[in-house]
Amino acid sequence: METKMTYKRRSREEVLLWLKRAKERKQAWEEQTELELKMMADEARRAKESHYFEFTV
């Protein structure tokens, strides 16, 4: 029975390109998450300033 390789050897350039794309995806995800959190914080601040959710006022 012949043994087969389960992985393909990658060149240095291929690995660096894969790493660069992974870093770009991570950066885009972090920017999107930060934008969403900022929007949620702004919405919460506006709701607090308008006293919309305060029933005792």
Side-chain angles (χ1 to χ4, degrees), residues 1-56:
M1 185 171 181
E2 185 179 333
T3 58
K4 295 186 178 183
M5 293 179 52
T6 58
Y7 63 95
K8 177 182 172 186
R9 291 192 55 87
R10 306 283 182 190
S11 69
R12 176 176 172 81
E13 291 79 22
E14 287 176 308
V15 171
L16 290 176
L17 184 62
W18 175 82
L19 186 60
K20 180 182 176 187
R21 285 194 310 251
K23 287 180 180 179
E24 289 171 355
R25 283 193 308 269
K26 180 183 176 190
Q27 181 68 29
W29 179 82
E30 287 176 345
E31 289 172 0
Q32 179 66 29
T33 303
E34 189 173 322
L35 180 64
E36 290 174 4
L37 288 174
K38 187 181 284 188
M39 288 173 46
M40 289 171 56
D42 287 344
E43 184 178 329
R45 181 185 48 79
R46 280 182 287 162
K48 185 175 181 179
E49 287 174 354
S50 69
H51 304 288
Y52 184 75
F53 295 107
E54 293 182 13
F55 299 112
T56 58

